[in-house]
Amino acid sequence: MTTPLKTTPLHAWHVGRGAKMAAFGGYEMPLWYPAGAKAEHLAPITAAGLFDTSHMAVLSLRGPAVRPLLQRCFSKDLERCIGVGKTLLTPGRCVYGVLLDHDGQVLDDAIVYQCGAHDYLLVVNAAMGEPIAAHLQQQNKKNPGALIDDHTDAIGKIDLQGPAAAKILARILRDPDQVFDKMVYFSFKGTFAPQFLPGAPVTLLDGTPVLVSRTGYTGEFGFELFVDHKDTVRLWRMLLEAGAPEGLLPCGLAARDSLRAGAGLPLSHQDIGPWPFARNPWLFALPWDEDGKGFTKEFIGNRAVLAARSTPCTLAFAGFDPRKIAAGAASQVTALDSTPLGGVLTCTTDMAIDRVGSVVVSIATPVAGGRPESFTPRGLCCGFVRLDTPLPPGAEVLLTDGKRTLKVEIRDQIRPDRSARAPLAAMLAA
């Protein structure tokens, strides 16, 4: 029997607004709305976009045994992970990393939020709440004491992304100045569950508790918002009304995918997956020591990762026009002389970028930074390839799916001038 698709609290809203729906991660989710995937891609770069991400899974971990458990299971060293100085994770801060198996292969990527002295949240991908909770429970047996709860489908999650995000959110928050004070990238305030998570209250104007996080999956400035399941639709509607002056658009999974690829962010189980987490663009998720040759702690899979430095490598690329090919087993990467090099993990189109001569420019690039005043991007295909041997930035290769062949360039970065790390005060003042 086919397992019925799950739905988020916003499913009826999506269908009622004419969204193109499709299966993703066991849920029926919107791919795009009538505005179209291109407009939805551009919105978080030029103004603001709104994403239903309630399909993501949230685990709560409580008790004095939690931090040792996370140190064993999560790649980042929680004692050395915040900022340039690599200080310890403290309440109100969060950090990105991966959970690996003993072979160094990715179980999932995740963000760890420290809510209190012994209270944490772990946000993982759709359909991964149960397997990650089981993995943590198994490891917890070695040093019992962590209380692990899976809140899948009990929490509403909405992402508000784009340069106007702070102005929009301020209109529906009670005391926004206090909420936004010292809210740096990868910090958060509030809670969606006062009954079991500590923290100073952050509420909407109507008193609804909300967790506000300076994070996102688009590469652009914005927030991830967590509320109780029952409050999801109300928050969504409040945001759309508050964002109407800026033209806030609801955005589907198509824009989410093209935005994250252009920002150089991986899709778990596609760009990172059942191979050692080594030789890829996301090695910042590992706890490197000062020499960059070892790790500052022992964690599951660490030895396999260090031993895997001669495995195939994952590299980012950008093309020369908007055309793309289907990623997957039927597609391959070759040298310009057709010598096989590897496979294609992700191939999509970032509609906000184009080439000015040999330079990739974004609609967000300042004129002083090389963007012509009359710049209208066609878009460029982009994504990630997995090659048997590394190639330097600037190298050109071919992508082919048997029907279409595209020339692309290996790159360190894809979409320039992203705003994710912009100071919040500057975004409010813009």
Side-chain angles (χ1 to χ4, degrees):
M1 292 179 60
T2 302
T3 302
L5 292 174
K6 293 183 176 183
T7 59
T8 75
L10 288 160
H11 181 268
W13 191 96
H14 302 318
V15 173
R17 299 315 186 278
K20 170 66 174 177
M21 306 296 288
F24 179 82
Y27 290 76
E28 187 174 42
M29 297 294 293
L31 290 179
W32 56 76
Y33 301 87
K38 179 178 180 180
E40 294 169 24
H41 178 98
L42 296 178
I45 301 173
T46 60
L50 199 62
F51 300 80
D52 177 9
T53 54
S54 297
H55 59 309
M56 302 288 284
V58 180
L59 309 179
S60 65
L61 299 89
R62 292 171 287 159
V66 170
R67 199 169 182 104
L69 175 64
L70 289 172
Q71 285 288 70
R72 188 163 64 252
C73 297
F74 188 64
S75 63
K76 292 294 280 192
D77 187 343
L78 303 187
E79 303 302 316
R80 304 173 181 84
C81 65
I82 298 298
V84 177
K86 292 188 176 181
T87 57
L88 76 165
L89 186 71
T90 55
R93 297 304 302 267
C94 49
V95 64
Y96 171 83
V98 293
L99 297 101
L100 307 177
D101 64 17
H102 287 283
D103 294 322
Q105 301 181 7
V106 175
L107 299 174
D108 205 13
D109 62 349
I111 295 180
V112 167
Y113 293 75
Q114 185 169 357
C115 303
H118 304 300
D119 295 84
Y120 298 79
L121 293 176
L122 186 68
V123 179
V124 297
N125 286 284
M128 293 305 297
E130 183 176 348
I132 294 300
H135 171 70
L136 293 173
Q137 294 283 16
Q138 181 65 34
Q139 294 300 317
N140 190 37
K141 294 178 180 178
K142 300 179 180 179
N143 183 27
L147 300 177
I148 302 167
D149 292 308
D150 181 1
H151 301 280
T152 298
D153 299 326
I155 295 168
K157 182 173 177 292
I158 295 171
D159 294 5
L160 175 64
Q161 300 281 293
K167 293 179 181 178
I168 295 169
L169 184 57
R171 295 172 188 149
I172 68 168
L173 285 177
R174 182 173 293 171
D175 199 355
D177 290 343
Q178 181 180 355
V179 176
F180 290 160
D181 184 45
K182 298 178 182 177
M183 182 170 271
V184 297
Y185 192 46
F186 268 73
S187 69
F188 68 98
K189 292 183 180 179
T191 176
F192 53 83
Q195 68 272 23
F196 68 86
L197 287 177
V202 173
T203 69
L204 306 179
L205 289 173
D206 64 3
T208 300
V210 58
L211 187 153
V212 179
S213 177
R214 265 287 322 265
T215 48
Y217 193 46
T218 64
E220 304 303 325
F221 176 85
F223 304 92
E224 295 183 285
L225 309 172
F226 300 77
V227 292
D228 188 272
H229 180 277
K230 70 180 186 305
D231 300 317
T232 312
V233 175
R234 184 167 69 255
L235 173 58
W236 181 267
R237 289 174 172 165
M238 291 174 70
L239 287 165
L240 285 174
E241 182 178 354
E246 286 78 17
L248 175 63
L249 279 183
C251 302
L253 291 178
R256 186 170 179 252
D257 189 53
S258 56
L259 284 160
R260 69 90 190 167
L265 302 175
L267 178 59
S268 190
H269 311 292
Q270 180 170 308
D271 301 316
I272 51 177
W275 55 81
F277 188 77
R279 302 182 84 189
N280 65 54
W282 311 290
L283 297 183
F284 57 81
L286 297 173
W288 297 104
D289 59 22
E290 292 184 0
D291 295 332
K293 297 180 179 179
F295 299 136
T296 57
K297 68 166 188 174
E298 292 278 331
F299 61 99
I300 296 173
N302 70 301
R303 296 181 184 179
V305 169
L306 289 175
R309 294 190 176 184
S310 61
T311 59
C313 58
T314 300
L315 301 170
F317 71 85
F320 294 87
D321 58 51
R323 297 176 302 155
K324 58 187 178 182
I325 67 169
S331 301
Q332 65 172 332
V333 184
T334 73
L336 299 183
D337 65 1
S338 299
T339 301
L341 298 176
V344 182
L345 299 174
T346 283
C347 186
T348 185
T349 301
D350 189 324
M351 298 304 302
I353 60 176
D354 205 343
R355 292 178 180 269
V356 177
S358 61
V359 179
V360 174
V361 175
S362 166
I363 54 174
T365 301
V367 171
R371 174 179 60 83
E373 291 188 5
S374 60
F375 183 68
T376 302
R378 299 171 301 160
L380 299 176
C381 77
C382 62
F384 306 103
V385 293
R386 191 161 184 256
L387 306 183
D388 295 330
T389 57
L391 293 175
E396 295 181 352
V397 297
L398 300 177
L399 311 184
T400 180
D401 59 4
K403 299 177 182 179
R404 171 181 286 174
T405 298
L406 304 176
K407 184 169 71 170
V408 303
E409 175 194 16
I410 301 299
R411 294 184 60 84
D412 281 332
Q413 294 194 48
I414 300 172
R415 185 171 73 246
D417 302 295
R418 301 184 302 279
S419 62
R421 296 176 181 272
L424 197 155
M427 302 307 275
L428 280 169

